[in-house]
Amino acid sequence: MTNAAIDDLHATTPGSASRLAPRAWLHTDAPALSLNGEWDFRWSPVADVPLPGADDAWGTIPVPAHWVLHGHGSPSYTNLQYPFPIDPPHPPEENPTGDYRRTFAVPTTFDAAGRVLLRFDGVESHFRVWLNDTLVGWSTGSRLATEFDVTELLRPGTNELRVRVHQWSAASYLEDQDQWWLPGIFRDVTLLARPTAPIDDVFVRAGWTATLGDAASAGTAASGRPSTGTGTISFPTLDAVFPVRFSVPDLGVDVTWASPDDVQPIAVEGVDPWSAELPRLYDATLSSGTDAGGTAGGETVTLRLGFRSVRIEGDRFLVNGERVVFHGVNRHETHPERGRVFDEAHARADMALMKRNNVNAIRTSHYPPHPRVLDLADELGFWVILECDLETHGFLFVGWQGNPSDDPAWEDAYLDRIARTVERDKNHASIVMWSLGNESGTGRNLAAMSNWVHRRDDERPVHYEGDYTGEYTDVYSRMYPTLQETESIGGGTATPLLGCGPAEAARQRSKPFIHCEYVHAMGNGPGQIAEYEALVDRYPRLHGGFVWEWRDHGLLTHTPDGTPFYGYGGDFHEVVHDGNFVMDGLVLPDDTPTPGLAEFAAVVAPVRMSLGTTTVLVENRFHSASTAGLRFRWTLSRNGVVEHEGRLAPGVVAARESVTVPVPTEVLEAAAGPIAPGEELWLDIVAELAGPTAWADTGHVVARAQTLVASRVAEAPRASRQGWDGDRLGDATFTERGDLSSWKGQEVAGPRLELWRAPTDNDRLASQGGYETADPVLTHGVGDPSAPASATKWLAHGLDRLTHRLVHVERSEHGLVQRVRVAAANSGAGVDVTHRWTLTDDGLLLDTTAVPFGEWGITWPRIGVRIDLPASLVDESAEWFGTGPLESYADSSHAAHVGVFGSPVSLLTANYSRPQESGHRPDLRTLRVGPFTVSSVGARRTGFTLTPWTAQQVARAGHPYELPTPDATYLYLDAAQHGLGSRACGLDVLPEHQLWPASTAWTVLLG
């Protein structure tokens, strides 16, 4: 390897002068040859190795692919850390290097080409290219496209292409995103024939203005379409050989321009606007060539135009004149087997899943995605914040000293990255904002990027969260601000803002505000989605946000004995890593939605139904869609069994409007009728799709509401006339200690007081201050910055290792009383527990009272009892009347509703990649599993968890494969559980959702 090549690895310049200027990624009929497929490959652990010769040993590798996922080296995960010394611009000498080689023949379809280009859509991180032994050039910018002109290097017959890729380079300092480091050629490689009369670049703007006051507009609005308006098509860039013909058949547009001077904006009446809810696209073509007919020497480019206007008015971000609320997710490109290699079918399915869960926006964290993702966003309908391939987060560890963001030597690299981002994707209607990058501090180079964007595209605003004082960005953006700070931003309260003086804070409060990241979705959680959404409802300046993040990044790997599992940081022997912090999505690595996704969908549902005594308020929260595409269905259930059902008829409710309709007569009559003891009448209303869409079938539920219409307290179970028969009491037997030993002829054990739960990721981590030792109202939401994680305190108090001392057991004629003192070793705090068993005509009544003693000073994870049931029940199904269908907790309960549900026991808990608390379903009425029935009795309903493992076993496992073979099925009957919060990277559990030690009593009936 030459000294010049080594120097390139250390260069702050982005690439060789032979790279072509960036341009739009266009759909064209010009010939192309995909070079994807099997390539020859050789891997070396260092950079300074000779280029392999023809006779050297070569293996093979698919392109696109990451070599670390094909047996060469290992993946590495870091969030903030650089996996090499912070010594800019120098990469480490231990620099894994991959040499690629393939041959190809130029097809005859290229014979008429004026030029031939070689395009790389994504290579991590530094690559050099040779064609037929001649150096073509080199480039960086892993998630950005690079083109070279190779016309003069091609030859008849066989051509040989070689690419050398280095994992590390100076550019790696700009790519410290929270993700796996995955080197290699991971996107398409294509040979492009460019015609002699080409259309090389296009920037088309399709603006929209409402047409007011005509009958046609009123009619379309009534039918569920927004009012049509005037579309304006303009071309800030049209780099082509003229004449050029432009056609939009559905709008009657067909013009031919003889020269660049002829290109003028086109106004068209009767245009439907594009929005994320109604993604109307118009097919358009641009043709060049003889008479602009696309004949020999020319080409035809196909565009899909979405007419929409983007602007900021005061503190409002508007599309088509209406405020946008982002119910978004941060989307990385990740797959457990392919890494960032694109698969269109999977991407489409993934984005359809987003739509089905009321996600309306995507922030492309933290780089431009594969270009087809933007086509899908246009088609399916998403508001998109497109982010540049930039992050320098690791400089945090050296106090941002040497950060490239403020170093003039890196300016070209920064400007190169933003230009390649904007130019490639500028024609997409879905993109409503450009983002300069992520977590790169601040400085002159970011300001220069912003200035470049404003000059190039003066419509779309510029976003960058790290511009805390608002010097060069158009919106105010923050990650994980507290609820109190968010409210102060929304309401304009003069309180301090991060990094701002008083005048700067006032400036930021005058802008539209978004949460570019919030409610961190790591493991079981997040909590507090509803609290943030309530602030967005209350304050128009707040424009919603983007959950961190959409999907877990787990990589499929195997234990030495071949057991598959999803690996995270540390599973690949990294020197430094950030553990399972890469498992922080609303979707698990295997595409399974988490309960957190259901919670998000419920909270942000675009239609809300408020059920009163005699009326139903239907609110349309859509930006632009009416409810014409929905139907409203109601059911009235008695203890989970549907008695009446029908359709609600609110009519077509326009966007941002509401109507009130009467409660169905059948519901009112049933509520006024007889209610037996223990019965509950529930009214459910769902808004569902009236017809199929590109992302869901007819009947898909968009929103749900439920209210209790009538109920009657159950009569207390009556004591039985029967009593003890030896050690048997009804269907159960007891030990001399008073412990349950069998039930329904099956060996069981318990009850055993339990305060421990397997810590969630939010229990384990402490990214923000604690609310258990500080009032968030008084601290402006900051909490106690010195407070350790909840799990740390729970472990210190021994809640995972409680001991149980029998104090007293006494039989009565129809039952027994067992008193137990529960505490941990080396602790003076504990709980006095009394279990009272009573035989009734309906089964065994268990009344438990727990009274804490001593100095606690901490929250409890849970308060409940555990009963150990036979292991064979793991293979059974459970049915329950209560809340469901998924787990829920005090601060994550909007997706839960009351009904009758069923599930295999094995699926009652979520299969999080790091095992943790899961499966809690509060407000149980009755549970049936195998021969056993458990019912709540009295005003305090218990929650239940049914799992093959104890909380202690789950807490000890780092991966699902580390869980032991089940030796029982464990039934937890909880009086309460602590909330979830999102303190892994966000807020602690709010005070109203905390569980503090207190005298607690709850009763269940074992039938």
Side-chain angles (χ1 to χ4, degrees):
M1 190 171 178
T2 66
N3 290 333
I6 292 292
D7 289 344
D8 291 342
L9 293 177
H10 299 257
T12 59
T13 53
S16 62
S18 58
R19 299 183 313 157
L20 299 178
R23 63 192 185 100
W25 195 86
L26 298 172
H27 296 276
T28 173
D29 65 354
L33 175 66
S34 172
L35 298 180
N36 294 349
E38 284 295 310
W39 288 49
D40 296 332
F41 183 73
R42 195 188 75 165
W43 181 82
S44 173
V46 295
D48 192 11
V49 293
L51 293 170
D55 297 329
D56 289 342
W58 291 83
T60 62
I61 196 171
V63 171
H66 303 281
W67 70 59
V68 292
L69 301 184
H70 287 265
H72 305 283
S74 298
S76 172
Y77 165 62
T78 61
N79 173 23
L80 311 182
Q81 306 175 79
Y82 285 111
F84 47 79
I86 304 174
D87 181 26
H90 307 295
E93 290 186 2
E94 297 81 7
N95 191 349
T97 298
D99 285 298
Y100 295 77
R101 180 182 69 178
R102 70 156 292 163
T103 59
F104 63 91
V106 180
T108 56
T109 54
F110 280 47
D111 289 351
R115 293 189 304 158
V116 178
L117 310 184
L118 179 62
R119 182 181 182 97
F120 293 85
D121 280 304
V123 183
E124 184 175 328
S125 71
H126 178 291
F127 68 103
R128 300 176 70 83
V129 183
W130 293 263
L131 182 59
N132 296 326
D133 295 325
T134 299
L135 179 64
V136 176
W138 64 275
S139 189
T140 59
S142 296
R143 271 67 68 175
L144 303 169
T146 300
E147 290 183 336
F148 299 100
D149 189 332
V150 295
T151 310
E152 300 302 320
L153 300 179
L154 292 169
R155 61 193 181 196
T158 301
N159 292 265
E160 183 182 72
L161 178 64
R162 294 196 183 198
V163 183
R164 168 164 279 199
V165 180
H166 302 285
Q167 177 163 5
W168 310 121
S169 66
S172 300
Y173 287 99
L174 307 184
E175 296 178 359
D176 189 31
Q177 292 98 332
D178 177 7
Q179 61 179 353
W180 295 97
W181 299 89
L182 298 174
I185 304 174
F186 68 94
R187 286 186 185 158
D188 303 319
V189 182
T190 312
L191 201 65
L192 304 172
R194 302 305 300 135
T196 54
I199 298 173
D200 282 328
D201 197 12
V202 178
F203 184 4
V204 59
R205 282 180 173 162
W208 185 82
T209 305
T211 301
L212 303 176
D214 61 52
S217 296
T220 55
S223 67
R225 300 290 300 178
S227 299
T228 56
T230 300
T232 303
I233 308 168
S234 59
F235 292 85
T237 297
L238 180 48
D239 183 3
V241 174
F242 286 78
V244 172
R245 180 181 180 184
F246 177 61
S247 173
V248 189
D250 285 354
L251 297 177
V253 174
D254 192 346
V255 298
T256 299
W257 298 307
S259 71
D261 293 338
D262 294 335
V263 180
Q264 298 293 330
I266 302 168
V268 188
E269 299 298 328
V271 175
D272 291 327
W274 183 97
S275 72
E277 298 151 7
L278 297 168
R280 176 69 163 97
L281 295 172
Y282 290 87
D283 290 326
T285 58
L286 275 164
S287 299
S288 63
T290 304
D291 298 325
T295 55
E299 69 177 314
T300 297
V301 169
T302 302
L303 302 166
R304 306 201 75 192
L305 305 183
F307 290 84
R308 51 104 184 100
S309 62
V310 178
R311 68 178 186 273
I312 290 175
E313 291 186 1
D315 60 1
R316 305 291 193 274
F317 175 79
L318 308 175
V319 174
N320 300 335
E322 301 296 340
R323 169 181 175 248
V324 170
V325 175
F326 297 109
H327 293 135
V329 294
N330 284 274
R331 179 191 182 272
H332 268 289
E333 295 201 299
T334 182
H335 185 273
E337 296 176 78
R338 296 188 303 272
R340 280 188 285 280
V341 175
F342 179 71
D343 178 83
E344 183 161 338
H346 186 262
R348 180 181 288 274
D350 216 35
M351 295 167 75
L353 180 62
M354 292 181 189
K355 294 286 287 188
R356 291 196 297 275
N357 285 278
N358 296 328
V359 174
N360 71 0
I362 295 170
R363 177 181 175 225
T364 68
S365 54
H366 297 293
Y367 43 82
H370 189 282
R372 279 291 291 156
V373 170
L374 283 310
D375 290 339
L376 294 175
D378 292 343
E379 174 193 332
L380 296 173
F382 291 94
W383 311 116
V384 173
I385 296 181
L386 190 78
E387 196 146 86
C388 186
D389 187 8
L390 176 65
E391 182 166 336
T392 67
H393 207 167
F395 283 90
L396 173 73
F397 294 103
V398 292
W400 296 104
Q401 294 298 311
N403 182 21
S405 295
D406 200 38
D407 184 345
W410 293 85
E411 181 177 6
D412 288 346
Y414 275 60
L415 292 175
D416 176 78
R417 285 176 180 254
I418 194 64
R420 291 159 71 191
T421 297
V422 172
E423 297 294 359
R424 192 196 75 168
D425 297 326
K426 57 194 175 234
N427 293 311
H428 290 283
S430 56
I431 299 173
V432 294
M433 204 177 297
W434 301 111
S435 180
L436 303 180
N438 185 67
E439 293 176 323
S440 297
T442 189
R444 69 191 74 190
N445 295 332
L446 288 158
M449 293 170 75
S450 178
N451 290 335
W452 185 94
V453 175
H454 283 122
R455 289 194 302 270
R456 184 63 174 125
D457 182 3
D458 59 6
E459 180 189 36
R460 295 179 177 106
V462 171
H463 165 274
Y464 174 66
E465 186 266 349
D467 180 26
Y468 295 134
T469 59
E471 295 179 20
Y472 46 85
T473 47
D474 302 309
V475 296
Y476 185 30
S477 173
R478 288 282 303 284
M479 297 178 184
Y480 314 106
T482 68
L483 290 164
Q484 289 75 13
E485 186 178 10
T486 301
E487 184 165 21
S488 78
I489 295 167
T493 308
T495 53
L497 296 181
L498 180 65
C500 290
E504 295 162 333
R507 174 170 62 189
Q508 291 293 63
R509 285 195 182 88
S510 70
K511 298 177 180 179
F513 177 81
I514 63 171
H515 290 104
C516 66
E517 296 178 21
Y518 80 129
V519 292
H520 191 261
M522 187 176 182
N524 189 344
Q528 305 148 343
I529 301 174
E531 285 81 358
Y532 278 105
E533 184 68 7
L535 295 177
V536 174
D537 289 346
R538 193 178 311 151
Y539 300 109
R541 178 177 295 146
L542 307 181
H543 289 73
F546 297 80
V547 175
W548 187 266
E549 63 175 302
W550 171 244
R551 175 182 285 277
D552 283 0
H553 295 217
L555 294 178
L556 183 64
T557 187
H558 298 81
T559 64
D561 67 1
T563 303
F565 70 100
Y566 293 106
Y568 48 74
D571 288 331
F572 300 94
H573 310 292
E574 301 101 312
V575 175
V576 295
H577 63 84
D578 287 298
N580 71 317
F581 209 70
V582 77
M583 304 299 217
D584 48 13
L586 293 169
V587 177
L588 300 178
D590 65 356
D591 299 338
T592 301
T594 67
L597 180 56
E599 177 73 2
F600 179 81
V603 170
V604 306
V607 176
R608 299 187 187 176
M609 287 115 17
S610 303
L611 310 182
T613 305
T614 59
T615 60
V616 179
L617 174 65
V618 178
E619 299 176 82
N620 181 353
R621 300 293 184 100
F622 279 119
H623 170 273
S624 47
S626 77
T627 61
L630 303 176
R631 64 191 184 198
F632 294 81
R633 182 171 52 84
W634 64 268
T635 57
L636 183 69
S637 301
R638 191 180 301 267
N639 282 15
V641 179
V642 175
E643 288 191 344
H644 300 283
E645 59 185 326
R647 295 283 179 86
L648 203 67
V652 175
V653 185
R656 306 174 306 283
E657 299 292 338
S658 62
V659 298
T660 300
V661 295
V663 169
T665 303
E666 298 94 328
V667 176
L668 297 175
E669 291 174 348
I675 303 291
E679 286 188 340
E680 301 174 24
L681 284 177
W682 288 93
L683 172 62
D684 288 84
I685 299 178
V686 296
E688 60 186 26
L689 294 181
T693 68
W695 44 269
D697 293 329
T698 301
H700 167 73
V701 174
V702 173
R704 173 188 297 274
Q706 184 183 66
T707 190
L708 181 64
V709 172
S711 65
R712 185 174 172 186
V713 176
E715 295 176 353
R718 291 177 295 182
S720 173
R721 294 182 180 181
Q722 299 179 4
W724 288 92
D725 180 10
D727 62 356
R728 178 173 298 279
L729 187 64
D731 289 333
T733 60
F734 291 81
T735 68
E736 290 184 1
R737 290 175 45 87
D739 295 330
L740 186 65
S741 59
S742 76
W743 179 20
K744 296 288 184 72
Q746 303 283 327
E747 184 177 343
V748 301
R752 181 182 179 87
L753 182 80
E754 188 64 86
L755 303 178
W756 176 248
R757 73 182 185 196
T760 67
D761 292 309
N762 292 308
D763 294 335
R764 291 178 184 272
L765 299 176
S767 76
Q768 293 196 22
Y771 290 165
E772 296 175 14
T773 52
D775 185 342
V777 174
L778 299 180
T779 63
H780 200 55
V782 174
D784 179 357
S786 64
S790 293
T792 301
K793 292 185 285 187
W794 298 340
L795 285 166
H797 282 73
L799 299 190
D800 61 327
R801 50 181 174 81
L802 298 175
T803 63
H804 298 248
R805 179 174 65 83
L806 178 65
V807 175
H808 178 73
V809 62
E810 179 180 353
R811 288 193 182 191
S812 63
E813 182 180 358
H814 301 291
L816 66 80
V817 177
Q818 182 193 52
R819 292 186 172 86
V820 180
R821 174 157 279 207
V822 179
N826 198 38
S827 174
V831 184
D832 285 323
V833 182
T834 302
H835 298 300
R836 290 182 174 84
W837 291 94
T838 304
L839 182 62
T840 73
D841 292 339
D842 300 314
L844 274 171
L845 196 69
L846 170 61
D847 180 84
T848 300
T849 301
V851 180
F853 64 85
E855 295 294 327
W856 277 98
I858 64 166
T859 57
W860 284 346
R862 70 173 356 132
I863 173 69
V865 296
R866 190 188 90 198
I867 299 176
D868 302 354
L869 303 177
S872 59
L873 293 181
V874 172
D875 300 320
E876 300 282 342
S877 289
E879 181 181 279
W880 70 98
F881 175 38
T883 58
L886 303 176
E887 63 189 40
S888 61
Y889 297 80
D891 53 358
S892 181
S893 60
H894 289 74
H897 57 282
V898 175
V900 173
F901 306 99
S903 170
V905 171
S906 60
L907 298 181
L908 284 170
T909 52
N911 191 29
Y912 298 113
S913 297
R914 177 168 185 166
Q916 56 195 275
E917 160 62 32
S918 176
H920 174 64
R921 290 166 173 83
D923 292 328
L924 175 68
R925 278 72 169 171
T926 300
L927 166 69
R928 295 181 179 85
V929 57
F932 308 117
T933 301
V934 180
S935 302
S936 293
V937 175
R940 171 171 239 153
R941 295 191 177 96
T942 65
F944 84 94
T945 305
L946 197 58
T947 168
W949 300 285
T950 67
Q952 288 78 5
Q953 290 172 330
V954 174
R956 288 192 290 268
H959 303 84
Y961 74 82
E962 298 174 68
L963 292 166
T965 301
D967 56 12
T969 303
Y970 301 98
L971 174 63
Y972 289 86
L973 298 168
D974 291 326
Q977 274 217 29
H978 192 62
L980 298 174
S982 59
R983 202 180 176 198
C985 192
L987 308 187
D988 197 4
V989 176
L990 300 177
E992 58 265 37
H993 302 310
Q994 295 169 358
L995 176 61
W996 286 91
S999 296
T1000 308
W1002 66 103
T1003 305
V1004 294
L1005 180 70
L1006 279 58

